Amino acid sequence: SRVPDLRVSLVRQDGMLDAMKRVATSTLNPEARVARVRIIANLVNSGEDNKRMILEYDGMLDGLLRIAHLDSNEHAREYAGVTLMDLASAPCNQISMAKNEKLLGTLVKMVLVEKVA
């Protein structure tokens, strides 16, 4: 949504987070994948409650990590990385994200790949 106030309520709509989570678990064409990750990034960028709800949604973080590290589309990887950064900006998410071994491993791999490229 281009109206920031509506983004808060979009996250609470039945099925919205489930549909967004499927970005990393479904076979989508690159444009659809980029669009979904971009939607997630916009929803995350709309307040602490959205950040908490999205991070806590089962499978969402794993999906974003998979895209940030492994996706063949540069734009999808970029939006996933921005989303991870925005999720980490919320104090309520920082401890759980810091304890996530997959997150740390993915970030290390992303840095190593970037240095090699």
Side-chain angles (χ1 to χ4, degrees), residues 11 16-17 19-24 33-45 54 60 64 67 79 83 87:
V11 169
M16 175 59 110
L17 291 179
M20 294 299 103
K21 179 182 84 169
R22 286 183 291 208
V23 70
R33 207 168 42 253
V34 169
R36 283 197 187 180
V37 177
R38 189 171 177 193
I39 290 168
I40 295 168
N42 283 327
L43 292 173
V44 165
N45 198 14
I54 290 171
M60 186 72 78
L64 289 168
I67 292 168
Y79 284 121
T83 302
L87 285 170

mmCIF file with all atom_site columns, all heavy atoms in Angstrom, residues 11 16-17 19-24 33-45 54 60 64 67 79 83 87:
data_model
loop_
_atom_site.group_PDB
_atom_site.id
_atom_site.type_symbol
_atom_site.label_atom_id
_atom_site.label_alt_id
_atom_site.label_comp_id
_atom_site.label_asym_id
_atom_site.label_entity_id
_atom_site.label_seq_id
_atom_site.pdbx_PDB_ins_code
_atom_site.Cartn_x
_atom_site.Cartn_y
_atom_site.Cartn_z
_atom_site.occupancy
_atom_site.B_iso_or_equiv
_atom_site.pdbx_formal_charge
_atom_site.auth_seq_id
_atom_site.auth_comp_id
_atom_site.auth_asym_id
_atom_site.auth_atom_id
_atom_site.pdbx_PDB_model_num
ATOM 1   N N   . VAL A 1 11 ? -1.245 -6.233  7.611  1.00 0.00 ? 11 VAL A N   1
ATOM 2   C CA  . VAL A 1 11 ? -0.579 -7.368  8.258  1.00 0.00 ? 11 VAL A CA  1
ATOM 3   C C   . VAL A 1 11 ? -1.579 -8.202  9.049  1.00 0.00 ? 11 VAL A C   1
ATOM 4   O O   . VAL A 1 11 ? -1.443 -9.408  9.148  1.00 0.00 ? 11 VAL A O   1
ATOM 5   C CB  . VAL A 1 11 ? 0.576  -6.877  9.161  1.00 0.00 ? 11 VAL A CB  1
ATOM 6   C CG1 . VAL A 1 11 ? 1.119  -7.982  10.037 1.00 0.00 ? 11 VAL A CG1 1
ATOM 7   C CG2 . VAL A 1 11 ? 1.683  -6.308  8.300  1.00 0.00 ? 11 VAL A CG2 1
ATOM 8   N N   . MET A 1 16 ? -2.877 -12.810 4.905  1.00 0.00 ? 16 MET A N   1
ATOM 9   C CA  . MET A 1 16 ? -1.852 -11.933 4.313  1.00 0.00 ? 16 MET A CA  1
ATOM 10  C C   . MET A 1 16 ? -0.442 -12.446 4.583  1.00 0.00 ? 16 MET A C   1
ATOM 11  O O   . MET A 1 16 ? 0.361  -12.595 3.665  1.00 0.00 ? 16 MET A O   1
ATOM 12  C CB  . MET A 1 16 ? -1.996 -10.505 4.842  1.00 0.00 ? 16 MET A CB  1
ATOM 13  C CG  . MET A 1 16 ? -0.895 -9.580  4.364  1.00 0.00 ? 16 MET A CG  1
ATOM 14  S SD  . MET A 1 16 ? -0.795 -9.446  2.568  1.00 0.00 ? 16 MET A SD  1
ATOM 15  C CE  . MET A 1 16 ? -1.356 -7.793  2.352  1.00 0.00 ? 16 MET A CE  1
ATOM 16  N N   . LEU A 1 17 ? -0.118 -12.727 5.834  1.00 0.00 ? 17 LEU A N   1
ATOM 17  C CA  . LEU A 1 17 ? 1.234  -13.183 6.143  1.00 0.00 ? 17 LEU A CA  1
ATOM 18  C C   . LEU A 1 17 ? 1.510  -14.561 5.555  1.00 0.00 ? 17 LEU A C   1
ATOM 19  O O   . LEU A 1 17 ? 2.623  -14.843 5.120  1.00 0.00 ? 17 LEU A O   1
ATOM 20  C CB  . LEU A 1 17 ? 1.489  -13.164 7.650  1.00 0.00 ? 17 LEU A CB  1
ATOM 21  C CG  . LEU A 1 17 ? 1.577  -11.769 8.267  1.00 0.00 ? 17 LEU A CG  1
ATOM 22  C CD1 . LEU A 1 17 ? 1.794  -11.846 9.767  1.00 0.00 ? 17 LEU A CD1 1
ATOM 23  C CD2 . LEU A 1 17 ? 2.669  -10.944 7.608  1.00 0.00 ? 17 LEU A CD2 1
ATOM 24  N N   . ALA A 1 19 ? 0.298  -15.694 2.742  1.00 0.00 ? 19 ALA A N   1
ATOM 25  C CA  . ALA A 1 19 ? 0.564  -15.462 1.316  1.00 0.00 ? 19 ALA A CA  1
ATOM 26  C C   . ALA A 1 19 ? 1.962  -14.892 1.105  1.00 0.00 ? 19 ALA A C   1
ATOM 27  O O   . ALA A 1 19 ? 2.663  -15.273 0.164  1.00 0.00 ? 19 ALA A O   1
ATOM 28  C CB  . ALA A 1 19 ? -0.483 -14.523 0.728  1.00 0.00 ? 19 ALA A CB  1
ATOM 29  N N   . MET A 1 20 ? 2.396  -14.003 1.984  1.00 0.00 ? 20 MET A N   1
ATOM 30  C CA  . MET A 1 20 ? 3.718  -13.411 1.845  1.00 0.00 ? 20 MET A CA  1
ATOM 31  C C   . MET A 1 20 ? 4.808  -14.426 2.162  1.00 0.00 ? 20 MET A C   1
ATOM 32  O O   . MET A 1 20 ? 5.854  -14.440 1.532  1.00 0.00 ? 20 MET A O   1
ATOM 33  C CB  . MET A 1 20 ? 3.855  -12.189 2.758  1.00 0.00 ? 20 MET A CB  1
ATOM 34  C CG  . MET A 1 20 ? 2.958  -11.031 2.386  1.00 0.00 ? 20 MET A CG  1
ATOM 35  S SD  . MET A 1 20 ? 3.267  -10.378 0.721  1.00 0.00 ? 20 MET A SD  1
ATOM 36  C CE  . MET A 1 20 ? 1.899  -11.060 -0.186 1.00 0.00 ? 20 MET A CE  1
ATOM 37  N N   . LYS A 1 21 ? 4.563  -15.294 3.132  1.00 0.00 ? 21 LYS A N   1
ATOM 38  C CA  . LYS A 1 21 ? 5.554  -16.304 3.506  1.00 0.00 ? 21 LYS A CA  1
ATOM 39  C C   . LYS A 1 21 ? 5.840  -17.249 2.343  1.00 0.00 ? 21 LYS A C   1
ATOM 40  O O   . LYS A 1 21 ? 6.965  -17.702 2.167  1.00 0.00 ? 21 LYS A O   1
ATOM 41  C CB  . LYS A 1 21 ? 5.073  -17.098 4.717  1.00 0.00 ? 21 LYS A CB  1
ATOM 42  C CG  . LYS A 1 21 ? 6.040  -18.187 5.148  1.00 0.00 ? 21 LYS A CG  1
ATOM 43  C CD  . LYS A 1 21 ? 5.507  -18.966 6.300  1.00 0.00 ? 21 LYS A CD  1
ATOM 44  C CE  . LYS A 1 21 ? 4.585  -20.052 5.805  1.00 0.00 ? 21 LYS A CE  1
ATOM 45  N NZ  . LYS A 1 21 ? 4.214  -21.012 6.829  1.00 0.00 ? 21 LYS A NZ  1
ATOM 46  N N   . ARG A 1 22 ? 4.854  -17.513 1.539  1.00 0.00 ? 22 ARG A N   1
ATOM 47  C CA  . ARG A 1 22 ? 5.027  -18.446 0.418  1.00 0.00 ? 22 ARG A CA  1
ATOM 48  C C   . ARG A 1 22 ? 6.006  -17.938 -0.630 1.00 0.00 ? 22 ARG A C   1
ATOM 49  O O   . ARG A 1 22 ? 6.381  -18.672 -1.532 1.00 0.00 ? 22 ARG A O   1
ATOM 50  C CB  . ARG A 1 22 ? 3.683  -18.756 -0.228 1.00 0.00 ? 22 ARG A CB  1
ATOM 51  C CG  . ARG A 1 22 ? 2.851  -19.689 0.624  1.00 0.00 ? 22 ARG A CG  1
ATOM 52  C CD  . ARG A 1 22 ? 1.595  -20.020 -0.074 1.00 0.00 ? 22 ARG A CD  1
ATOM 53  N NE  . ARG A 1 22 ? 0.788  -18.817 -0.104 1.00 0.00 ? 22 ARG A NE  1
ATOM 54  C CZ  . ARG A 1 22 ? -0.520 -18.791 -0.136 1.00 0.00 ? 22 ARG A CZ  1
ATOM 55  N NH1 . ARG A 1 22 ? -1.188 -19.888 -0.194 1.00 0.00 ? 22 ARG A NH1 1
ATOM 56  N NH2 . ARG A 1 22 ? -1.174 -17.659 -0.139 1.00 0.00 ? 22 ARG A NH2 1
ATOM 57  N N   . VAL A 1 23 ? 6.481  -16.721 -0.495 1.00 0.00 ? 23 VAL A N   1
ATOM 58  C CA  . VAL A 1 23 ? 7.442  -16.183 -1.453 1.00 0.00 ? 23 VAL A CA  1
ATOM 59  C C   . VAL A 1 23 ? 8.694  -17.050 -1.512 1.00 0.00 ? 23 VAL A C   1
ATOM 60  O O   . VAL A 1 23 ? 9.308  -17.214 -2.555 1.00 0.00 ? 23 VAL A O   1
ATOM 61  C CB  . VAL A 1 23 ? 7.790  -14.706 -1.136 1.00 0.00 ? 23 VAL A CB  1
ATOM 62  C CG1 . VAL A 1 23 ? 8.597  -14.597 0.129  1.00 0.00 ? 23 VAL A CG1 1
ATOM 63  C CG2 . VAL A 1 23 ? 8.535  -14.053 -2.276 1.00 0.00 ? 23 VAL A CG2 1
ATOM 64  N N   . ALA A 1 24 ? 9.075  -17.638 -0.396 1.00 0.00 ? 24 ALA A N   1
ATOM 65  C CA  . ALA A 1 24 ? 10.295 -18.437 -0.366 1.00 0.00 ? 24 ALA A CA  1
ATOM 66  C C   . ALA A 1 24 ? 10.024 -19.930 -0.437 1.00 0.00 ? 24 ALA A C   1
ATOM 67  O O   . ALA A 1 24 ? 10.941 -20.714 -0.594 1.00 0.00 ? 24 ALA A O   1
ATOM 68  C CB  . ALA A 1 24 ? 11.083 -18.140 0.905  1.00 0.00 ? 24 ALA A CB  1
ATOM 69  N N   . ARG A 1 33 ? 8.267  -12.960 -7.318 1.00 0.00 ? 33 ARG A N   1
ATOM 70  C CA  . ARG A 1 33 ? 9.059  -13.096 -6.101 1.00 0.00 ? 33 ARG A CA  1
ATOM 71  C C   . ARG A 1 33 ? 9.535  -11.723 -5.623 1.00 0.00 ? 33 ARG A C   1
ATOM 72  O O   . ARG A 1 33 ? 9.433  -11.396 -4.444 1.00 0.00 ? 33 ARG A O   1
ATOM 73  C CB  . ARG A 1 33 ? 10.232 -14.040 -6.356 1.00 0.00 ? 33 ARG A CB  1
ATOM 74  C CG  . ARG A 1 33 ? 10.712 -14.748 -5.144 1.00 0.00 ? 33 ARG A CG  1
ATOM 75  C CD  . ARG A 1 33 ? 11.675 -15.882 -5.427 1.00 0.00 ? 33 ARG A CD  1
ATOM 76  N NE  . ARG A 1 33 ? 12.679 -15.608 -6.441 1.00 0.00 ? 33 ARG A NE  1
ATOM 77  C CZ  . ARG A 1 33 ? 12.661 -16.126 -7.673 1.00 0.00 ? 33 ARG A CZ  1
ATOM 78  N NH1 . ARG A 1 33 ? 11.714 -16.952 -8.041 1.00 0.00 ? 33 ARG A NH1 1
ATOM 79  N NH2 . ARG A 1 33 ? 13.613 -15.830 -8.532 1.00 0.00 ? 33 ARG A NH2 1
ATOM 80  N N   . VAL A 1 34 ? 10.023 -10.922 -6.530 1.00 0.00 ? 34 VAL A N   1
ATOM 81  C CA  . VAL A 1 34 ? 10.481 -9.574  -6.172 1.00 0.00 ? 34 VAL A CA  1
ATOM 82  C C   . VAL A 1 34 ? 9.316  -8.758  -5.628 1.00 0.00 ? 34 VAL A C   1
ATOM 83  O O   . VAL A 1 34 ? 9.450  -8.069  -4.609 1.00 0.00 ? 34 VAL A O   1
ATOM 84  C CB  . VAL A 1 34 ? 11.127 -8.863  -7.383 1.00 0.00 ? 34 VAL A CB  1
ATOM 85  C CG1 . VAL A 1 34 ? 11.361 -7.393  -7.088 1.00 0.00 ? 34 VAL A CG1 1
ATOM 86  C CG2 . VAL A 1 34 ? 12.434 -9.532  -7.763 1.00 0.00 ? 34 VAL A CG2 1
ATOM 87  N N   . ALA A 1 35 ? 8.160  -8.855  -6.264 1.00 0.00 ? 35 ALA A N   1
ATOM 88  C CA  . ALA A 1 35 ? 6.991  -8.093  -5.804 1.00 0.00 ? 35 ALA A CA  1
ATOM 89  C C   . ALA A 1 35 ? 6.591  -8.494  -4.399 1.00 0.00 ? 35 ALA A C   1
ATOM 90  O O   . ALA A 1 35 ? 6.310  -7.632  -3.549 1.00 0.00 ? 35 ALA A O   1
ATOM 91  C CB  . ALA A 1 35 ? 5.820  -8.296  -6.769 1.00 0.00 ? 35 ALA A CB  1
ATOM 92  N N   . ARG A 1 36 ? 6.593  -9.796  -4.107 1.00 0.00 ? 36 ARG A N   1
ATOM 93  C CA  . ARG A 1 36 ? 6.209  -10.238 -2.762 1.00 0.00 ? 36 ARG A CA  1
ATOM 94  C C   . ARG A 1 36 ? 7.228  -9.803  -1.715 1.00 0.00 ? 36 ARG A C   1
ATOM 95  O O   . ARG A 1 36 ? 6.857  -9.366  -0.632 1.00 0.00 ? 36 ARG A O   1
ATOM 96  C CB  . ARG A 1 36 ? 6.031  -11.749 -2.713 1.00 0.00 ? 36 ARG A CB  1
ATOM 97  C CG  . ARG A 1 36 ? 4.727  -12.181 -3.326 1.00 0.00 ? 36 ARG A CG  1
ATOM 98  C CD  . ARG A 1 36 ? 4.384  -13.570 -2.905 1.00 0.00 ? 36 ARG A CD  1
ATOM 99  N NE  . ARG A 1 36 ? 3.212  -14.033 -3.636 1.00 0.00 ? 36 ARG A NE  1
ATOM 100 C CZ  . ARG A 1 36 ? 2.679  -15.213 -3.476 1.00 0.00 ? 36 ARG A CZ  1
ATOM 101 N NH1 . ARG A 1 36 ? 3.207  -16.078 -2.631 1.00 0.00 ? 36 ARG A NH1 1
ATOM 102 N NH2 . ARG A 1 36 ? 1.611  -15.570 -4.147 1.00 0.00 ? 36 ARG A NH2 1
ATOM 103 N N   . VAL A 1 37 ? 8.503  -9.902  -2.023 1.00 0.00 ? 37 VAL A N   1
ATOM 104 C CA  . VAL A 1 37 ? 9.515  -9.485  -1.048 1.00 0.00 ? 37 VAL A CA  1
ATOM 105 C C   . VAL A 1 37 ? 9.429  -7.973  -0.834 1.00 0.00 ? 37 VAL A C   1
ATOM 106 O O   . VAL A 1 37 ? 9.573  -7.481  0.290  1.00 0.00 ? 37 VAL A O   1
ATOM 107 C CB  . VAL A 1 37 ? 10.938 -9.902  -1.484 1.00 0.00 ? 37 VAL A CB  1
ATOM 108 C CG1 . VAL A 1 37 ? 11.974 -9.402  -0.502 1.00 0.00 ? 37 VAL A CG1 1
ATOM 109 C CG2 . VAL A 1 37 ? 11.037 -11.401 -1.607 1.00 0.00 ? 37 VAL A CG2 1
ATOM 110 N N   . ARG A 1 38 ? 9.137  -7.257  -1.886 1.00 0.00 ? 38 ARG A N   1
ATOM 111 C CA  . ARG A 1 38 ? 8.990  -5.801  -1.761 1.00 0.00 ? 38 ARG A CA  1
ATOM 112 C C   . ARG A 1 38 ? 7.782  -5.452  -0.890 1.00 0.00 ? 38 ARG A C   1
ATOM 113 O O   . ARG A 1 38 ? 7.832  -4.522  -0.085 1.00 0.00 ? 38 ARG A O   1
ATOM 114 C CB  . ARG A 1 38 ? 8.842  -5.187  -3.149 1.00 0.00 ? 38 ARG A CB  1
ATOM 115 C CG  . ARG A 1 38 ? 8.911  -3.702  -3.147 1.00 0.00 ? 38 ARG A CG  1
ATOM 116 C CD  . ARG A 1 38 ? 8.970  -3.169  -4.547 1.00 0.00 ? 38 ARG A CD  1
ATOM 117 N NE  . ARG A 1 38 ? 8.975  -1.715  -4.490 1.00 0.00 ? 38 ARG A NE  1
ATOM 118 C CZ  . ARG A 1 38 ? 8.776  -0.942  -5.521 1.00 0.00 ? 38 ARG A CZ  1
ATOM 119 N NH1 . ARG A 1 38 ? 8.565  -1.476  -6.707 1.00 0.00 ? 38 ARG A NH1 1
ATOM 120 N NH2 . ARG A 1 38 ? 8.788  0.354   -5.397 1.00 0.00 ? 38 ARG A NH2 1
ATOM 121 N N   . ILE A 1 39 ? 6.699  -6.208  -1.027 1.00 0.00 ? 39 ILE A N   1
ATOM 122 C CA  . ILE A 1 39 ? 5.525  -5.989  -0.182 1.00 0.00 ? 39 ILE A CA  1
ATOM 123 C C   . ILE A 1 39 ? 5.876  -6.250  1.274  1.00 0.00 ? 39 ILE A C   1
ATOM 124 O O   . ILE A 1 39 ? 5.526  -5.464  2.169  1.00 0.00 ? 39 ILE A O   1
ATOM 125 C CB  . ILE A 1 39 ? 4.347  -6.882  -0.637 1.00 0.00 ? 39 ILE A CB  1
ATOM 126 C CG1 . ILE A 1 39 ? 3.818  -6.391  -1.982 1.00 0.00 ? 39 ILE A CG1 1
ATOM 127 C CG2 . ILE A 1 39 ? 3.240  -6.891  0.425  1.00 0.00 ? 39 ILE A CG2 1
ATOM 128 C CD1 . ILE A 1 39 ? 2.857  -7.355  -2.657 1.00 0.00 ? 39 ILE A CD1 1
ATOM 129 N N   . ILE A 1 40 ? 6.596  -7.335  1.533  1.00 0.00 ? 40 ILE A N   1
ATOM 130 C CA  . ILE A 1 40 ? 7.012  -7.637  2.908  1.00 0.00 ? 40 ILE A CA  1
ATOM 131 C C   . ILE A 1 40 ? 7.871  -6.493  3.448  1.00 0.00 ? 40 ILE A C   1
ATOM 132 O O   . ILE A 1 40 ? 7.684  -6.050  4.581  1.00 0.00 ? 40 ILE A O   1
ATOM 133 C CB  . ILE A 1 40 ? 7.771  -8.975  2.984  1.00 0.00 ? 40 ILE A CB  1
ATOM 134 C CG1 . ILE A 1 40 ? 6.849  -10.137 2.608  1.00 0.00 ? 40 ILE A CG1 1
ATOM 135 C CG2 . ILE A 1 40 ? 8.350  -9.193  4.392  1.00 0.00 ? 40 ILE A CG2 1
ATOM 136 C CD1 . ILE A 1 40 ? 7.584  -11.453 2.380  1.00 0.00 ? 40 ILE A CD1 1
ATOM 137 N N   . ALA A 1 41 ? 8.803  -6.001  2.630  1.00 0.00 ? 41 ALA A N   1
ATOM 138 C CA  . ALA A 1 41 ? 9.668  -4.894  3.060  1.00 0.00 ? 41 ALA A CA  1
ATOM 139 C C   . ALA A 1 41 ? 8.833  -3.666  3.410  1.00 0.00 ? 41 ALA A C   1
ATOM 140 O O   . ALA A 1 41 ? 9.097  -2.996  4.421  1.00 0.00 ? 41 ALA A O   1
ATOM 141 C CB  . ALA A 1 41 ? 10.678 -4.561  1.961  1.00 0.00 ? 41 ALA A CB  1
ATOM 142 N N   . ASN A 1 42 ? 7.823  -3.363  2.615  1.00 0.00 ? 42 ASN A N   1
ATOM 143 C CA  . ASN A 1 42 ? 6.960  -2.213  2.904  1.00 0.00 ? 42 ASN A CA  1
ATOM 144 C C   . ASN A 1 42 ? 6.139  -2.427  4.174  1.00 0.00 ? 42 ASN A C   1
ATOM 145 O O   . ASN A 1 42 ? 5.954  -1.497  4.953  1.00 0.00 ? 42 ASN A O   1
ATOM 146 C CB  . ASN A 1 42 ? 6.028  -1.931  1.720  1.00 0.00 ? 42 ASN A CB  1
ATOM 147 C CG  . ASN A 1 42 ? 6.741  -1.242  0.591  1.00 0.00 ? 42 ASN A CG  1
ATOM 148 O OD1 . ASN A 1 42 ? 7.657  -0.457  0.802  1.00 0.00 ? 42 ASN A OD1 1
ATOM 149 N ND2 . ASN A 1 42 ? 6.339  -1.525  -0.630 1.00 0.00 ? 42 ASN A ND2 1
ATOM 150 N N   . LEU A 1 43 ? 5.656  -3.634  4.371  1.00 0.00 ? 43 LEU A N   1
ATOM 151 C CA  . LEU A 1 43 ? 4.876  -3.920  5.577  1.00 0.00 ? 43 LEU A CA  1
ATOM 152 C C   . LEU A 1 43 ? 5.745  -3.832  6.832  1.00 0.00 ? 43 LEU A C   1
ATOM 153 O O   . LEU A 1 43 ? 5.300  -3.331  7.867  1.00 0.00 ? 43 LEU A O   1
ATOM 154 C CB  . LEU A 1 43 ? 4.234  -5.308  5.483  1.00 0.00 ? 43 LEU A CB  1
ATOM 155 C CG  . LEU A 1 43 ? 3.138  -5.465  4.426  1.00 0.00 ? 43 LEU A CG  1
ATOM 156 C CD1 . LEU A 1 43 ? 2.704  -6.916  4.327  1.00 0.00 ? 43 LEU A CD1 1
ATOM 157 C CD2 . LEU A 1 43 ? 1.950  -4.563  4.719  1.00 0.00 ? 43 LEU A CD2 1
ATOM 158 N N   . VAL A 1 44 ? 6.976  -4.303  6.734  1.00 0.00 ? 44 VAL A N   1
ATOM 159 C CA  . VAL A 1 44 ? 7.901  -4.241  7.872  1.00 0.00 ? 44 VAL A CA  1
ATOM 160 C C   . VAL A 1 44 ? 8.225  -2.794  8.217  1.00 0.00 ? 44 VAL A C   1
ATOM 161 O O   . VAL A 1 44 ? 8.381  -2.444  9.378  1.00 0.00 ? 44 VAL A O   1
ATOM 162 C CB  . VAL A 1 44 ? 9.189  -5.033  7.556  1.00 0.00 ? 44 VAL A CB  1
ATOM 163 C CG1 . VAL A 1 44 ? 10.308 -4.695  8.527  1.00 0.00 ? 44 VAL A CG1 1
ATOM 164 C CG2 . VAL A 1 44 ? 8.908  -6.521  7.586  1.00 0.00 ? 44 VAL A CG2 1
ATOM 165 N N   . ASN A 1 45 ? 8.283  -1.959  7.223  1.00 0.00 ? 45 ASN A N   1
ATOM 166 C CA  . ASN A 1 45 ? 8.670  -0.566  7.403  1.00 0.00 ? 45 ASN A CA  1
ATOM 167 C C   . ASN A 1 45 ? 7.497  0.296   7.880  1.00 0.00 ? 45 ASN A C   1
ATOM 168 O O   . ASN A 1 45 ? 7.463  1.482   7.603  1.00 0.00 ? 45 ASN A O   1
ATOM 169 C CB  . ASN A 1 45 ? 9.247  -0.016  6.103  1.00 0.00 ? 45 ASN A CB  1
ATOM 170 C CG  . ASN A 1 45 ? 10.040 1.230   6.315  1.00 0.00 ? 45 ASN A CG  1
ATOM 171 O OD1 . ASN A 1 45 ? 10.398 1.565   7.436  1.00 0.00 ? 45 ASN A OD1 1
ATOM 172 N ND2 . ASN A 1 45 ? 10.298 1.954   5.243  1.00 0.00 ? 45 ASN A ND2 1
ATOM 173 N N   . ILE A 1 54 ? 5.605  -9.872  11.905 1.00 0.00 ? 54 ILE A N   1
ATOM 174 C CA  . ILE A 1 54 ? 6.221  -10.519 10.746 1.00 0.00 ? 54 ILE A CA  1
ATOM 175 C C   . ILE A 1 54 ? 7.363  -11.422 11.183 1.00 0.00 ? 54 ILE A C   1
ATOM 176 O O   . ILE A 1 54 ? 7.496  -12.545 10.705 1.00 0.00 ? 54 ILE A O   1
ATOM 177 C CB  . ILE A 1 54 ? 6.653  -9.461  9.708  1.00 0.00 ? 54 ILE A CB  1
ATOM 178 C CG1 . ILE A 1 54 ? 5.392  -8.855  9.068  1.00 0.00 ? 54 ILE A CG1 1
ATOM 179 C CG2 . ILE A 1 54 ? 7.583  -10.051 8.663  1.00 0.00 ? 54 ILE A CG2 1
ATOM 180 C CD1 . ILE A 1 54 ? 5.629  -7.652  8.195  1.00 0.00 ? 54 ILE A CD1 1
ATOM 181 N N   . MET A 1 60 ? 8.539  -17.154 8.284  1.00 0.00 ? 60 MET A N   1
ATOM 182 C CA  . MET A 1 60 ? 8.823  -15.920 7.542  1.00 0.00 ? 60 MET A CA  1
ATOM 183 C C   . MET A 1 60 ? 10.315 -15.586 7.554  1.00 0.00 ? 60 MET A C   1
ATOM 184 O O   . MET A 1 60 ? 10.896 -15.280 6.521  1.00 0.00 ? 60 MET A O   1
ATOM 185 C CB  . MET A 1 60 ? 8.021  -14.764 8.129  1.00 0.00 ? 60 MET A CB  1
ATOM 186 C CG  . MET A 1 60 ? 8.149  -13.489 7.327  1.00 0.00 ? 60 MET A CG  1
ATOM 187 S SD  . MET A 1 60 ? 7.292  -13.530 5.745  1.00 0.00 ? 60 MET A SD  1
ATOM 188 C CE  . MET A 1 60 ? 5.615  -13.257 6.283  1.00 0.00 ? 60 MET A CE  1
ATOM 189 N N   . LEU A 1 64 ? 12.885 -15.372 4.323  1.00 0.00 ? 64 LEU A N   1
ATOM 190 C CA  . LEU A 1 64 ? 13.652 -14.169 3.991  1.00 0.00 ? 64 LEU A CA  1
ATOM 191 C C   . LEU A 1 64 ? 15.150 -14.464 3.948  1.00 0.00 ? 64 LEU A C   1
ATOM 192 O O   . LEU A 1 64 ? 15.863 -13.956 3.076  1.00 0.00 ? 64 LEU A O   1
ATOM 193 C CB  . LEU A 1 64 ? 13.350 -13.059 4.995  1.00 0.00 ? 64 LEU A CB  1
ATOM 194 C CG  . LEU A 1 64 ? 11.962 -12.434 4.896  1.00 0.00 ? 64 LEU A CG  1
ATOM 195 C CD1 . LEU A 1 64 ? 11.686 -11.561 6.110  1.00 0.00 ? 64 LEU A CD1 1
ATOM 196 C CD2 . LEU A 1 64 ? 11.815 -11.648 3.598  1.00 0.00 ? 64 LEU A CD2 1
ATOM 197 N N   . ILE A 1 67 ? 15.976 -16.277 0.695  1.00 0.00 ? 67 ILE A N   1
ATOM 198 C CA  . ILE A 1 67 ? 15.991 -15.362 -0.447 1.00 0.00 ? 67 ILE A CA  1
ATOM 199 C C   . ILE A 1 67 ? 17.215 -14.453 -0.398 1.00 0.00 ? 67 ILE A C   1
ATOM 200 O O   . ILE A 1 67 ? 17.888 -14.250 -1.412 1.00 0.00 ? 67 ILE A O   1
ATOM 201 C CB  . ILE A 1 67 ? 14.703 -14.525 -0.483 1.00 0.00 ? 67 ILE A CB  1
ATOM 202 C CG1 . ILE A 1 67 ? 13.516 -15.432 -0.801 1.00 0.00 ? 67 ILE A CG1 1
ATOM 203 C CG2 . ILE A 1 67 ? 14.801 -13.414 -1.521 1.00 0.00 ? 67 ILE A CG2 1
ATOM 204 C CD1 . ILE A 1 67 ? 12.175 -14.780 -0.582 1.00 0.00 ? 67 ILE A CD1 1
ATOM 205 N N   . TYR A 1 79 ? 15.898 -6.714  -1.551 1.00 0.00 ? 79 TYR A N   1
ATOM 206 C CA  . TYR A 1 79 ? 14.722 -6.431  -0.722 1.00 0.00 ? 79 TYR A CA  1
ATOM 207 C C   . TYR A 1 79 ? 14.681 -7.317  0.519  1.00 0.00 ? 79 TYR A C   1
ATOM 208 O O   . TYR A 1 79 ? 14.285 -6.872  1.593  1.00 0.00 ? 79 TYR A O   1
ATOM 209 C CB  . TYR A 1 79 ? 13.426 -6.595  -1.524 1.00 0.00 ? 79 TYR A CB  1
ATOM 210 C CG  . TYR A 1 79 ? 13.163 -5.439  -2.459 1.00 0.00 ? 79 TYR A CG  1
ATOM 211 C CD1 . TYR A 1 79 ? 13.035 -5.650  -3.819 1.00 0.00 ? 79 TYR A CD1 1
ATOM 212 C CD2 . TYR A 1 79 ? 13.039 -4.135  -1.988 1.00 0.00 ? 79 TYR A CD2 1
ATOM 213 C CE1 . TYR A 1 79 ? 12.798 -4.593  -4.688 1.00 0.00 ? 79 TYR A CE1 1
ATOM 214 C CE2 . TYR A 1 79 ? 12.810 -3.074  -2.845 1.00 0.00 ? 79 TYR A CE2 1
ATOM 215 C CZ  . TYR A 1 79 ? 12.681 -3.309  -4.195 1.00 0.00 ? 79 TYR A CZ  1
ATOM 216 O OH  . TYR A 1 79 ? 12.450 -2.262  -5.047 1.00 0.00 ? 79 TYR A OH  1
ATOM 217 N N   . THR A 1 83 ? 14.730 -5.944  4.296  1.00 0.00 ? 83 THR A N   1
ATOM 218 C CA  . THR A 1 83 ? 13.695 -6.379  5.234  1.00 0.00 ? 83 THR A CA  1
ATOM 219 C C   . THR A 1 83 ? 14.318 -6.906  6.516  1.00 0.00 ? 83 THR A C   1
ATOM 220 O O   . THR A 1 83 ? 13.856 -6.577  7.619  1.00 0.00 ? 83 THR A O   1
ATOM 221 C CB  . THR A 1 83 ? 12.805 -7.457  4.587  1.00 0.00 ? 83 THR A CB  1
ATOM 222 O OG1 . THR A 1 83 ? 12.228 -6.915  3.387  1.00 0.00 ? 83 THR A OG1 1
ATOM 223 C CG2 . THR A 1 83 ? 11.701 -7.894  5.522  1.00 0.00 ? 83 THR A CG2 1
ATOM 224 N N   . LEU A 1 87 ? 13.701 -5.382  10.177 1.00 0.00 ? 87 LEU A N   1
ATOM 225 C CA  . LEU A 1 87 ? 13.235 -6.221  11.287 1.00 0.00 ? 87 LEU A CA  1
ATOM 226 C C   . LEU A 1 87 ? 14.149 -6.066  12.493 1.00 0.00 ? 87 LEU A C   1
ATOM 227 O O   . LEU A 1 87 ? 13.692 -5.986  13.634 1.00 0.00 ? 87 LEU A O   1
ATOM 228 C CB  . LEU A 1 87 ? 13.181 -7.692  10.864 1.00 0.00 ? 87 LEU A CB  1
ATOM 229 C CG  . LEU A 1 87 ? 12.027 -8.101  9.955  1.00 0.00 ? 87 LEU A CG  1
ATOM 230 C CD1 . LEU A 1 87 ? 12.241 -9.517  9.432  1.00 0.00 ? 87 LEU A CD1 1
ATOM 231 C CD2 . LEU A 1 87 ? 10.693 -7.992  10.677 1.00 0.00 ? 87 LEU A CD2 1
#
